[in-house]
Amino acid sequence: GMSNPPELAIIDGSALTRKIVEVAARREGLTCVGFPDGEEALRRLQDDQECVPRLILVEIDLPGRMNGYTVVRLLRVCTRLDSTAIVMFSGRSTLVSRLRVRHAGADAYLTKPFQRRTFLSVLSRYCKGEDEQGAPRGEKHEHRAFYPGTADQNGCPGTAPAYYPGR
């Protein structure tokens, strides 16, 4: 693994967006890892025992065969990431996308471009634990029940390909 396990992960097809997020995170004293697509992110987040970020930011419209919703559903069946917060973001905001974000198992939704202030408040809430409610985050992911599947030794679904759209 890495010398410092990342506290924040960003999954976005845009290298510029990943860079902006990584720089902002570093300025806040947070370690950050970026992924250009869902496949690469899942490979690392599901397999690397050390890689348990406090927050994962996921763009809805990802390149490759998996969109952000699918990535989030697959992350949510990984028990090792139970207390990891997931925030999705997109350039468009509709009621349907907001509902889909909740159903996939994300904790919050941001519309791009987000204000620096908004982004920093998300970092402080989810990465620094400055959260007004003391409830452990893992408690409320009851939507896990929607996605049965065999789990491997990492507590991650062994049947991931079945969840890919269009299969």
Side-chain angles (χ1 to χ4, degrees), residues 1 20 33 41 49-50 55 63-64 67 74-75 86 97 106 109 113 115 128-129 136 156 163:
I20 290 169
V33 62
Q49 293 293 303
E50 301 299 303
L55 170 65
N67 64 24
L74 290 169
L75 290 172
I86 297 178
S97 58
Y109 180 64
Q115 302 298 314
K128 300 179 176 179
C156 297
Y163 300 124

Side-chain angles (χ1 to χ4, degrees), residues 4 7 9 15 20 30-31 33 35 41 52 57 68-69 72 105 111 119 135 138:
N4 281 331
E7 294 160 289
I20 290 169
L30 296 167
T31 48
V33 62
F35 301 103
V52 187
L57 295 168
Y69 300 117
V72 171
T111 306
F119 179 64

Side-chain angles (χ1 to χ4, degrees), residues 55 84 135 144:
L55 170 65
T84 295
R144 171 184 308 285

Side-chain angles (χ1 to χ4, degrees), residues 61-103:
D61 304 298
L62 292 172
R65 57 186 173 170
M66 270 189 278
N67 64 24
Y69 300 117
T70 304
V71 172
V72 171
R73 279 197 297 270
L74 290 169
L75 290 172
R76 276 294 168 236
V77 280
C78 192
T79 52
R80 189 165 39 79
L81 300 175
D82 265 355
S83 58
T84 295
I86 297 178
V87 173
M88 299 191 80
F89 60 94
S90 167
R92 54 165 197 263
S93 175
T94 63
L95 178 60
V96 171
S97 58
R98 284 176 184 278
L99 291 171
R100 288 189 68 189
V101 159
R102 302 303 292 195
H103 184 71

